[in-house]
Amino acid sequence: MTVGIVSRDLVETREAVRTLVELSELTKTYGPTCANDRVSLTIARGEIIGLVGGNGAGKSTLMRMLSGETAPDSGTITFSNKQQAAGGHYHAGEAQNRGIRIVHQELSLCDNLTVAENFYLEAPEGAKGMPGWRGIYRDRARAALEAVFPGADVNVDEQVSNLSIAVRQMVEIARALTAPGAEIVILDEPTSSLALDRSQQLRAYVRRRAAEGLAFIFISHKLHEIMDVASRVVVMRNGRVVWEGETGEASVARLVSLMGGDASLKARREREAAPDIGPGRPMVRLTGRMGEDQSGEIILHAGEIVGLAGLEGSGQRDLLHAIFSGLGDAGVALERGVTASFVSGDRQREGVFPLWNVLENISVSRIAGCSGLSLVNRREEIAAATPAAERIRLDTGRLRSGILDLSGGNQQKALVARALACDAPVILLDDPTRGVDVAAKQDFYAVVAEIARAGRLVIWYSTEDLEFLECDRVLVFSHGRVNRELAGDAIGEKAIVDASFERAGDGKQGAARKAQKTRSRTAERLVESAPFVSLAVVIAAMAWANPTSLSPFGLDLLLSPALSLVLVALGQMFIIGGSEIDLGAGAFAGVINVLSATLLVGQPGLGALSIAALLVIYAGLGALIQARRIPAIVVTLGASFIWLGIGYTLQPTPGGSSPEWLTAIFSVSFPLAPTSIIFILITGLIAWFVNRTPVGVALRAFGNNPQAMARSGWSPIRYATIRYLFSGLFILAAGLSLTAINTASDINSGNSYTLLSVAAVVIGGCSLFGGRISPVGVVAGAITLSLIGALLGMLNVNSDYNAAVQGLLLLVILAFRALVARGGEEE
C-alpha cells in the first residue's frame, strides 16, 4: 500500500516537472460573442499538440491569451506549478520572458527591415554591448534558416518586402523556432504558404526539437499534417474544447466530423455528374508563356476552372496580377469588356481594409463598378452581400463588425464574398483557402463550381495540390512559363509535382529573372539618387550664376542658414519614421531660440533647466500619443500653440542675444572645410549612426508594423518616448543654432521650418507611411530647399517665388518616383 502511494507520488512529481504551463477555465468574450468558454489545456515539455477547429472556433483567441496579447475575462495561467494571474501584469513581454514564442497566421515581420534585423527583433538581448551586432544576427539568421529549411538559400541582408510570402513565412518560423530561451512555440497555420518539401522539412525539425524538450502547439487546417506531426490532438468548436486525445486515437475523418465538416469531395463529384456543355466564349488569351514556344497560345474560356500550379514563385501570382491589372501585359490579353475580380490569400497586404467593417469590405468591388457620383445605398449593399456571405457560411450577423474582429479564416471568407458580390466575368483566386478550415473549404469548392456553371471563368492559384482536383484544367508553371497543361483524369498530385520540377527554358528564364532583378535595383538607385541629383542641379545653377558662391567663404555663407533646417528636418524624420508628423517642430525650435537668447544669457541655470524641462515635455508627447491613442497631428498642433505662447510671454518682440559660449561653438573654424559644412556633416552622421543602432532598428520597426512589435513584447510607449526624445534633441540643436547664427531670437523664426522639414523628409526618400528613413537623403533635401532662395536671388527672380519653386521641386521628385515605380511594376 505504501509502495503504491509512493509510486503515485513519483508519477505526479514527474508529470509536474514535465508540465510547462496549465491554462485553467479561460474565458474571453467580445460583446455578445464568447470566443473562449472555460477552456482548459495543459502543455508538457517535449509535447506536440495539434490544435484544430473551424474558423472562429476560438483557437487564435486562446493562443493570444497564452502569449500575453489578450487578457482573459476569467481563468488562470499557471507556469511551473506556480499560479500566475492571467490578467494584470501578464503581457506579451512577460510571455516572451517565460519562453513563449508565437508564429501568427498573419505574418508579423517588419517588411521594411532585412531578414537579419527581423531576427534581432525576436531576440534583442544578443545586441547588448556588441559593436558588431549586425554580424551576430546575420550568422544567427543563416544558421536558423539552414537548420529548419535546409537549402533555402535566403539572403539575410535582403529587405523582407522583396521576399515572396513563402520565404517570409519561412523567416518568421525560423526566427521563432531558434529564439534563445524558447520553451513553447505556437505555430498558427505555419505551412499555409509553404510548398510540400518545405512543409516536410518543418515537420521534421519540429519532431527533432520536441525530442530535445521543446513544446509545440501546431495549429493547421491541413489535417494530414496534424496527424503526421502531433503527439496529441485538441479539437475546439464554438469556443470550447470538444475532444482531446492521442493522435493514434484520431483520424482525418473523425477530426473533420468533430469540427463540423465533411471530408468528401462533393463539389468535384457534382461537377463530374453535370452534363458537359463544352467550353464557353474565350475570356483570356495567353501568348508566349508555353515553355520555350513563344508562338503558342493558351485560351481560357468562360465556364472553366483553371488551376495555376507549380513551385511557389514560378510566375503564377505574376499572371494573376497581370490579368487583374488589365494594362496590356506582354503575353496577356483580356477579351473586350472582360473585367476581373481578385481574391488574395495575403490578407494584410492585398486583402482587407482594416478600418472598415465586414459589409464595406465585401461591397467595395461592387461599389467600384458604379458611377462615381452615385449614392451608396446601404440596404442594397446588405442585400447584395448577404447571399454571398451565406453561400460560404460567413455569419451575416457580423456584417457590421470590424473586419479585424473576425478570425483570419472568416476574414478570408469576406474576401471571397467580395468577389461573389460583384459581377466580374473572371474570378482570380490567389491561394484563397489559406487559413480556412476544412468545412469552409468544402463550401468554397461548391461555390467555385457554381460560379463556373454560371458561365464565369475561375483562375485559381493554390499551394495545396489536392485543390487542383477541383479544376477542369491545370497549368503547371516552372520558371515563369507554363511547363505543362493537364486536363481531366491527367490532373493528379504526382503529375503536378513532376511537371513543377521540370525545367522550362531554364537558361533563358534565369537570364530574364537576373535582368529583371538588375532593372529593379537600378530603379531603386534612381529613386535614392533623386535628392542628390536635385542638390547637384541647384549647386551647378548657382555656380553658373555666380562662380564665387562655390568658394569656401561663399559656401559657408550659403550653408549657415541651412544648418537649422537640416536639424529640424532630421528631427522631423524620426517622427515621420513612426508614421506620424510633428506640426509643432518649427515652433519648438522657435521657443528654444527664445529661451537660449533670454534666460540662458541672463540666468544660465534657470535657462538650462527650462530647456531641459521642455525637452522632457516634448519627449512625453510620444508617450501621450500612444497611451491615449490621440492622433499625433492633434497633439503636436496643440503643443505648437504652447511653444508659441511661452515664446511670446518671454519675448513679445524679437531681441535678446547669443551666449558667448554658444557663439564660440558655432564660430569654430576648421582647416579643411567651411564650418557650416562640418556641422552639417556631423549632424547627418549622428542621425545616420542612430538609425543604424539597435534602437534605430526598433524605431523603424514600430513605424512599419507596430502591432507586430507589441506582439513581440516591445513597449510602444517606451519607444514612442525615445522617438520623440531623439527628435527633440535635433530640433533643440536647431533652436540653439538659430540663436548663434542670428545672434538674437524671434519666436517666429522657426515657423517656416515645420512644412519645409516635411518636404525635406519626403524629398530625402523617406516614406510618410513610416518605417523608411534616409538621414543622408534628408540632409540633401534640406540643403536643396534652403539654397533655392539664394539661387533665385542670384537669378534676379523675386523671392516671392521661393515657396512655389520649392513646391515644384517636391512635385517633380514625387512624379519621378511614381514613374519609376510604375515602370518597375510593368516589367
Side-chain angles (χ1 to χ4, degrees):
M1 186 72 165
T2 305
V3 174
I5 293 174
V6 170
S7 298
R8 282 198 302 273
D9 290 344
L10 257 175
V11 169
E12 290 175 0
T13 301
R14 287 172 180 169
E15 287 300 314
V17 170
R18 289 185 66 242
T19 299
L20 289 171
V21 63
E22 182 177 355
L23 313 181
S24 178
E25 301 286 311
L26 291 185
T27 298
K28 184 66 181 178
T29 59
Y30 296 97
T33 303
C34 185
N36 280 158
D37 184 9
R38 300 191 302 277
V39 177
S40 298
L41 181 66
T42 300
I43 305 164
R45 195 177 303 278
E47 189 174 31
I48 306 174
I49 298 176
L51 182 59
V52 299
N55 298 130
K59 309 183 298 297
S60 295
T61 301
L62 183 64
M63 294 302 100
R64 284 197 297 270
M65 288 190 286
L66 173 58
S67 61
E69 294 176 38
T70 301
D73 298 329
S74 62
T76 58
I77 300 178
T78 304
F79 290 96
S80 302
N81 290 339
K82 182 179 179 182
Q83 185 165 310
Q84 168 70 54
H89 69 276
Y90 184 65
H91 49 77
E94 177 70 15
Q96 292 254 328
N97 293 336
R98 291 182 175 275
I100 297 175
R101 296 292 188 275
I102 182 168
V103 175
H104 292 273
Q105 181 178 343
E106 303 294 346
L107 300 184
S108 297
L109 298 175
C110 294
D111 62 13
N112 64 321
L113 304 181
T114 66
V115 172
E117 288 171 337
N118 272 279
F119 268 78
Y120 157 72
L121 297 178
E122 185 71 17
E125 63 278 357
K128 292 180 179 178
M130 295 289 185
W133 67 276
R134 288 179 182 275
I136 294 172
Y137 285 97
R138 287 190 187 100
D139 293 340
R140 280 192 186 184
R142 291 190 192 100
L145 285 161
E146 183 61 29
V148 183
F149 301 105
D153 193 26
V154 178
N155 181 4
V156 298
D157 290 316
E158 187 71 67
Q159 190 168 299
V160 170
S161 61
N162 296 329
L163 305 177
S164 67
I165 189 172
V167 177
R168 280 186 279 142
Q169 189 163 40
M170 290 161 59
V171 169
E172 180 151 5
I173 290 169
R175 73 168 186 166
L177 289 179
T178 59
E183 291 195 341
I184 301 173
V185 178
I186 303 165
L187 300 171
D188 193 351
E189 298 292 343
T191 64
S192 59
S193 295
L194 298 185
L196 178 61
D197 57 335
R198 298 301 182 198
S199 172
Q200 292 171 338
Q201 288 176 338
L202 171 61
R203 282 176 274 155
Y205 183 84
V206 167
R207 284 190 287 266
R208 289 197 303 271
R209 291 301 306 277
E212 298 170 2
L214 187 61
F216 291 90
I217 300 177
F218 199 103
I219 305 173
S220 179
H221 291 308
K222 300 177 182 179
L223 298 182
H224 65 281
E225 293 182 346
I226 295 291
M227 296 300 297
D228 174 67
V229 74
S231 56
R232 179 160 62 100
V233 180
V234 176
V235 182
M236 292 188 68
R237 187 173 180 180
N238 297 326
R240 296 182 177 181
V241 173
V242 295
W243 184 86
E244 65 176 301
E246 301 298 317
T247 306
E249 303 173 12
S251 66
V252 170
R254 185 180 183 188
L255 294 179
V256 171
S257 177
L258 289 166
M259 291 164 57
D262 181 0
S264 63
L265 296 176
K266 296 181 289 186
R268 173 74 172 175
R269 291 203 298 268
E270 288 175 3
R271 283 181 57 76
E272 291 174 345
D276 185 7
I277 59 175
R281 69 184 182 92
M283 290 276 195
V284 179
R285 298 178 185 271
L286 310 179
T287 57
R289 290 179 178 264
M290 189 68 180
E292 295 192 31
D293 183 4
Q294 300 298 311
S295 61
E297 183 179 57
I298 304 172
I299 302 175
L300 310 182
H301 302 87
E304 283 190 303
I305 304 176
V306 180
L308 307 180
L311 299 179
E312 207 279 335
S314 295
Q316 305 96 314
R317 283 193 167 100
D318 293 338
L319 177 60
L320 289 178
H321 283 279
I323 295 172
F324 182 65
S325 66
L327 296 177
D329 180 87
V332 178
L334 278 70
E335 296 299 315
R336 184 179 297 276
V338 172
T339 59
S341 180
F342 192 95
V343 179
S344 174
D346 191 354
R347 291 184 289 276
Q348 283 186 321
R349 298 178 70 184
E350 301 176 337
V352 301
F353 294 89
L355 299 180
W356 293 2
N357 62 28
V358 178
L359 174 63
E360 290 165 336
N361 269 273
I362 293 175
S363 302
V364 62
S365 291
R366 185 174 180 274
I367 293 173
C370 301
S371 170
L373 297 178
S374 60
L375 297 177
V376 176
N377 187 309
R378 186 57 60 92
R379 290 184 178 179
E380 290 182 4
E381 297 310 320
I382 293 176
T386 298
E390 290 176 341
R391 287 165 71 183
I392 53 175
R393 296 190 188 181
L394 177 62
D395 184 5
T396 55
R398 303 292 300 276
L399 289 178
R400 296 185 184 276
S401 300
I403 188 69
L404 297 185
D405 292 340
L406 303 185
S407 67
N410 282 329
Q411 290 177 32
Q412 193 64 32
K413 287 183 178 181
L415 298 187
V416 175
R418 178 191 299 171
L420 298 179
C422 74
D423 56 0
V426 178
I427 306 293
L428 306 173
L429 305 176
D430 183 359
D431 207 6
T433 61
R434 178 173 174 256
V436 176
D437 62 68
V438 174
K441 284 183 180 180
Q442 299 304 320
D443 294 334
F444 174 74
Y445 301 155
V447 168
V448 170
E450 182 181 337
I451 291 172
R453 284 197 299 269
R456 298 162 87 175
L457 167 63
V458 179
I459 305 176
W460 183 355
Y461 165 62
S462 175
T463 53
E464 294 188 52
D465 291 341
L466 272 174
E467 293 194 326
F468 293 120
L469 297 176
E470 304 292 334
C471 299
D472 301 299
R473 278 195 289 167
V474 176
L475 307 179
V476 186
F477 279 68
S478 178
H479 298 88
R481 290 287 186 269
V482 178
N483 201 30
R484 189 183 299 179
E485 181 177 349
L486 306 174
D489 294 337
I491 301 174
E493 281 191 276
K494 186 177 185 305
I496 291 171
V497 171
D498 290 345
S500 299
F501 283 95
E502 290 177 3
R503 304 285 181 177
D506 207 6
K508 293 181 180 179
Q509 293 309 311
R513 287 194 307 275
K514 185 176 180 180
Q516 185 176 4
K517 191 172 183 179
T518 300
R519 289 193 296 270
S520 177
R521 295 294 186 195
T522 301
E524 288 179 10
R525 292 191 183 98
L526 284 172
V527 170
E528 292 170 358
S529 67
F532 307 103
V533 171
S534 61
L535 176 59
V537 169
V538 170
I539 291 176
M542 294 177 72
W544 173 77
N546 184 359
T548 61
S549 63
L550 295 188
S551 66
F553 176 78
L555 284 174
D556 195 28
L557 191 64
L558 289 169
L559 294 178
S560 289
L563 175 60
S564 301
L565 177 57
V566 167
L567 287 164
V568 176
L570 289 172
Q572 186 75 262
M573 176 191 72
F574 284 104
I575 302 300
I576 289 178
S579 192
E580 297 172 355
I581 292 179
D582 181 4
L583 293 182
F588 188 66
V591 74
I592 297 298
N593 177 209
V594 170
L595 282 170
S596 60
T598 54
L599 291 182
L600 203 57
V601 176
Q603 299 173 282
L606 179 60
L609 185 62
S610 299
I611 290 174
L614 286 185
L615 179 62
V616 171
I617 294 172
Y618 185 89
L621 297 180
L624 175 64
I625 290 166
Q626 285 296 320
R628 306 303 300 173
R629 305 288 183 183
I630 307 173
I633 56 173
V634 174
V635 173
T636 57
L637 180 61
S640 72
F641 297 128
I642 296 175
W643 311 142
L644 291 172
I646 293 173
Y648 278 119
T649 300
L650 290 174
Q651 190 183 61
T653 59
S657 62
S658 174
E660 292 183 4
W661 60 268
L662 185 60
T663 302
I665 290 175
F666 283 87
S667 300
V668 173
S669 60
F670 297 92
L672 299 179
T675 301
S676 57
I677 292 181
I678 296 298
F679 275 120
I680 288 173
L681 289 176
I682 290 173
T683 56
L685 184 62
I686 292 172
W688 176 86
F689 176 77
V690 170
N691 187 45
R692 296 283 295 175
T693 62
V695 173
V697 171
L699 291 177
R700 283 188 282 128
F702 267 107
N704 175 260
N705 197 340
Q707 183 182 19
M709 292 294 286
R711 282 175 170 177
S712 298
W714 295 78
S715 170
I717 293 178
R718 178 185 177 188
Y719 279 88
T721 305
I722 292 173
R723 182 188 307 284
Y724 275 78
L725 177 62
F726 282 144
S727 174
L729 286 170
F730 278 98
I731 301 174
L732 186 154
L736 295 177
S737 71
L738 285 171
T739 302
I741 294 169
N742 299 328
T743 65
S745 63
D746 180 0
I747 187 58
N748 296 309
S749 60
N751 285 355
S752 63
Y753 288 164
T754 297
L755 296 182
L756 281 176
S757 65
V758 175
V761 170
V762 174
I763 289 174
C766 305
S767 171
L768 285 174
F769 297 104
R772 177 183 170 185
I773 64 176
S774 173
V776 180
V778 169
V779 170
I783 295 174
T784 303
L785 291 173
S786 181
L787 292 179
I788 284 176
L791 174 60
L792 294 180
M794 293 178 186
L795 298 175
N796 295 318
V797 177
N798 193 312
S799 61
D800 292 342
Y801 291 101
N802 189 19
V805 175
Q806 290 171 335
L808 180 62
L809 173 64
L810 176 61
L811 292 176
V812 168
I813 289 179
L814 290 176
F816 171 72
R817 286 183 186 153
L819 186 63
V820 171
R822 180 175 178 181
E825 290 175 359
E826 290 178 353
E827 288 176 351

